[in-house]
PDB file of all heavy atoms in Angstrom:
ATOM      1  N   GLY A 113     111.039  -1.171 -79.544  1.00 77.00           N
ATOM      2  CA  GLY A 113     109.966  -1.936 -80.180  1.00 77.00           C
ATOM      3  C   GLY A 113     109.670  -1.503 -81.595  1.00 77.00           C
ATOM      4  O   GLY A 113     108.582  -1.746 -82.103  1.00 77.00           O
ATOM      5  N   GLN A 114     110.645  -0.818 -82.239  1.00 79.00           N
ATOM      6  CA  GLN A 114     110.398  -0.385 -83.616  1.00 79.00           C
ATOM      7  C   GLN A 114     110.097  -1.559 -84.526  1.00 79.00           C
ATOM      8  O   GLN A 114     109.181  -1.529 -85.346  1.00 79.00           O
ATOM      9  CB  GLN A 114     111.635   0.346 -84.157  1.00 79.00           C
ATOM     10  CG  GLN A 114     111.857   1.696 -83.555  1.00 79.00           C
ATOM     11  CD  GLN A 114     113.200   2.279 -83.970  1.00 79.00           C
ATOM     12  OE1 GLN A 114     113.997   1.601 -84.626  1.00 79.00           O
ATOM     13  NE2 GLN A 114     113.452   3.503 -83.590  1.00 79.00           N
ATOM     14  N   LEU A 115     110.887  -2.606 -84.324  1.00 80.00           N
ATOM     15  CA  LEU A 115     110.740  -3.763 -85.189  1.00 80.00           C
ATOM     16  C   LEU A 115     109.376  -4.420 -85.019  1.00 80.00           C
ATOM     17  O   LEU A 115     108.723  -4.796 -85.987  1.00 80.00           O
ATOM     18  CB  LEU A 115     111.862  -4.760 -84.856  1.00 80.00           C
ATOM     19  CG  LEU A 115     112.293  -5.681 -85.989  1.00 80.00           C
ATOM     20  CD1 LEU A 115     112.601  -4.895 -87.248  1.00 80.00           C
ATOM     21  CD2 LEU A 115     113.512  -6.479 -85.556  1.00 80.00           C
ATOM     22  N   GLU A 116     108.957  -4.456 -83.763  1.00 82.00           N
ATOM     23  CA  GLU A 116     107.661  -5.103 -83.509  1.00 82.00           C
ATOM     24  C   GLU A 116     106.531  -4.326 -84.163  1.00 82.00           C
ATOM     25  O   GLU A 116     105.598  -4.894 -84.743  1.00 82.00           O
ATOM     26  CB  GLU A 116     107.432  -5.194 -81.999  1.00 82.00           C
ATOM     27  CG  GLU A 116     106.155  -5.949 -81.675  1.00 82.00           C
ATOM     28  CD  GLU A 116     105.918  -6.096 -80.188  1.00 82.00           C
ATOM     29  OE1 GLU A 116     106.742  -5.627 -79.393  1.00 82.00           O
ATOM     30  OE2 GLU A 116     104.885  -6.684 -79.848  1.00 82.00           O
ATOM     31  N   GLU A 117     106.640  -3.001 -84.062  1.00 83.00           N
ATOM     32  CA  GLU A 117     105.589  -2.173 -84.655  1.00 83.00           C
ATOM     33  C   GLU A 117     105.526  -2.393 -86.167  1.00 83.00           C
ATOM     34  O   GLU A 117     104.453  -2.559 -86.749  1.00 83.00           O
ATOM     35  CB  GLU A 117     105.899  -0.699 -84.332  1.00 83.00           C
ATOM     36  CG  GLU A 117     104.713   0.237 -84.444  1.00 83.00           C
ATOM     37  CD  GLU A 117     103.473  -0.323 -83.777  1.00 83.00           C
ATOM     38  OE1 GLU A 117     103.537  -0.824 -82.610  1.00 83.00           O
ATOM     39  OE2 GLU A 117     102.423  -0.315 -84.438  1.00 83.00           O
ATOM     40  N   LEU A 118     106.701  -2.417 -86.768  1.00 82.00           N
ATOM     41  CA  LEU A 118     106.764  -2.634 -88.215  1.00 82.00           C
ATOM     42  C   LEU A 118     106.213  -4.003 -88.569  1.00 82.00           C
ATOM     43  O   LEU A 118     105.462  -4.175 -89.522  1.00 82.00           O
ATOM     44  CB  LEU A 118     108.227  -2.496 -88.669  1.00 82.00           C
ATOM     45  CG  LEU A 118     108.455  -2.358 -90.171  1.00 82.00           C
ATOM     46  CD1 LEU A 118     107.709  -1.147 -90.721  1.00 82.00           C
ATOM     47  CD2 LEU A 118     109.945  -2.220 -90.451  1.00 82.00           C
ATOM     48  N   TRP A 119     106.593  -4.958 -87.728  1.00 83.00           N
ATOM     49  CA  TRP A 119     106.159  -6.348 -87.929  1.00 83.00           C
ATOM     50  C   TRP A 119     104.631  -6.438 -87.876  1.00 83.00           C
ATOM     51  O   TRP A 119     103.975  -7.009 -88.724  1.00 83.00           O
ATOM     52  CB  TRP A 119     106.810  -7.192 -86.832  1.00 83.00           C
ATOM     53  CG  TRP A 119     106.348  -8.596 -86.741  1.00 83.00           C
ATOM     54  CD1 TRP A 119     106.759  -9.636 -87.486  1.00 83.00           C
ATOM     55  CD2 TRP A 119     105.386  -9.117 -85.820  1.00 83.00           C
ATOM     56  NE1 TRP A 119     106.122 -10.778 -87.116  1.00 83.00           N
ATOM     57  CE2 TRP A 119     105.269 -10.473 -86.072  1.00 83.00           C
ATOM     58  CE3 TRP A 119     104.623  -8.539 -84.796  1.00 83.00           C
ATOM     59  CZ2 TRP A 119     104.418 -11.299 -85.362  1.00 83.00           C
ATOM     60  CZ3 TRP A 119     103.780  -9.351 -84.088  1.00 83.00           C
ATOM     61  CH2 TRP A 119     103.676 -10.717 -84.362  1.00 83.00           C
ATOM     62  N   ALA A 120     104.073  -5.784 -86.871  1.00 85.00           N
ATOM     63  CA  ALA A 120     102.619  -5.866 -86.711  1.00 85.00           C
ATOM     64  C   ALA A 120     101.902  -5.153 -87.843  1.00 85.00           C
ATOM     65  O   ALA A 120     100.816  -5.556 -88.252  1.00 85.00           O
ATOM     66  CB  ALA A 120     102.217  -5.252 -85.365  1.00 85.00           C
ATOM     67  N   SER A 121     102.522  -4.084 -88.361  1.00 86.00           N
ATOM     68  CA  SER A 121     101.813  -3.299 -89.376  1.00 86.00           C
ATOM     69  C   SER A 121     101.532  -4.124 -90.624  1.00 86.00           C
ATOM     70  O   SER A 121     100.550  -3.878 -91.307  1.00 86.00           O
ATOM     71  CB  SER A 121     102.607  -2.054 -89.724  1.00 86.00           C
ATOM     72  OG  SER A 121     103.769  -2.444 -90.433  1.00 86.00           O
ATOM     73  N   PHE A 122     102.370  -5.122 -90.878  1.00 85.00           N
ATOM     74  CA  PHE A 122     102.086  -5.986 -92.040  1.00 85.00           C
ATOM     75  C   PHE A 122     100.750  -6.689 -91.872  1.00 85.00           C
ATOM     76  O   PHE A 122      99.974  -6.806 -92.806  1.00 85.00           O
ATOM     77  CB  PHE A 122     103.209  -7.023 -92.215  1.00 85.00           C
ATOM     78  CG  PHE A 122     104.368  -6.474 -92.972  1.00 85.00           C
ATOM     79  CD1 PHE A 122     105.365  -5.744 -92.358  1.00 85.00           C
ATOM     80  CD2 PHE A 122     104.446  -6.667 -94.353  1.00 85.00           C
ATOM     81  CE1 PHE A 122     106.411  -5.227 -93.057  1.00 85.00           C
ATOM     82  CE2 PHE A 122     105.505  -6.148 -95.066  1.00 85.00           C
ATOM     83  CZ  PHE A 122     106.509  -5.429 -94.428  1.00 85.00           C
ATOM     84  N   PHE A 123     100.478  -7.151 -90.646  1.00 86.00           N
ATOM     85  CA  PHE A 123      99.226  -7.879 -90.410  1.00 86.00           C
ATOM     86  C   PHE A 123      98.030  -6.944 -90.384  1.00 86.00           C
ATOM     87  O   PHE A 123      96.951  -7.293 -90.824  1.00 86.00           O
ATOM     88  CB  PHE A 123      99.306  -8.629 -89.084  1.00 86.00           C
ATOM     89  CG  PHE A 123     100.258  -9.772 -89.119  1.00 86.00           C
ATOM     90  CD1 PHE A 123     101.589  -9.606 -88.786  1.00 86.00           C
ATOM     91  CD2 PHE A 123      99.816 -11.025 -89.512  1.00 86.00           C
ATOM     92  CE1 PHE A 123     102.466 -10.658 -88.835  1.00 86.00           C
ATOM     93  CE2 PHE A 123     100.695 -12.082 -89.551  1.00 86.00           C
ATOM     94  CZ  PHE A 123     102.027 -11.913 -89.222  1.00 86.00           C
ATOM     95  N   LEU A 124      98.269  -5.732 -89.871  1.00 87.00           N
ATOM     96  CA  LEU A 124      97.134  -4.846 -89.680  1.00 87.00           C
ATOM     97  C   LEU A 124      96.804  -4.047 -90.922  1.00 87.00           C
ATOM     98  O   LEU A 124      95.686  -3.568 -91.062  1.00 87.00           O
ATOM     99  CB  LEU A 124      97.409  -3.887 -88.520  1.00 87.00           C
ATOM    100  CG  LEU A 124      97.618  -4.576 -87.180  1.00 87.00           C
ATOM    101  CD1 LEU A 124      98.002  -3.573 -86.104  1.00 87.00           C
ATOM    102  CD2 LEU A 124      96.351  -5.318 -86.771  1.00 87.00           C
ATOM    103  N   GLU A 125      97.787  -3.909 -91.811  1.00 85.00           N
ATOM    104  CA  GLU A 125      97.526  -3.039 -92.955  1.00 85.00           C
ATOM    105  C   GLU A 125      97.433  -3.797 -94.264  1.00 85.00           C
ATOM    106  O   GLU A 125      96.907  -3.280 -95.240  1.00 85.00           O
ATOM    107  CB  GLU A 125      98.615  -1.954 -93.052  1.00 85.00           C
ATOM    108  CG  GLU A 125      98.511  -0.947 -91.933  1.00 85.00           C
ATOM    109  CD  GLU A 125      99.787  -0.146 -91.759  1.00 85.00           C
ATOM    110  OE1 GLU A 125     100.516   0.027 -92.743  1.00 85.00           O
ATOM    111  OE2 GLU A 125     100.058   0.284 -90.621  1.00 85.00           O
ATOM    112  N   GLY A 126      97.956  -5.010 -94.293  1.00 83.00           N
ATOM    113  CA  GLY A 126      97.889  -5.797 -95.513  1.00 83.00           C
ATOM    114  C   GLY A 126      96.490  -6.311 -95.761  1.00 83.00           C
ATOM    115  O   GLY A 126      95.571  -6.037 -94.983  1.00 83.00           O
ATOM    116  N   PRO A 127      96.273  -7.061 -96.832  1.00 85.00           N
ATOM    117  CA  PRO A 127      94.965  -7.660 -97.101  1.00 85.00           C
ATOM    118  C   PRO A 127      94.480  -8.454 -95.899  1.00 85.00           C
ATOM    119  O   PRO A 127      95.167  -9.333 -95.387  1.00 85.00           O
ATOM    120  CB  PRO A 127      95.227  -8.561 -98.295  1.00 85.00           C
ATOM    121  CG  PRO A 127      96.401  -7.950 -98.958  1.00 85.00           C
ATOM    122  CD  PRO A 127      97.240  -7.352 -97.879  1.00 85.00           C
TER     123      PRO A 127
END
Side-chain angles (χ1 to χ4, degrees):
Chain A
Q114 289 171 354
L115 207 51
E116 184 178 359
E117 200 46 47
L118 194 58
W119 172 82
S121 70
F122 276 84
F123 290 90
L124 298 175
E125 290 162 28

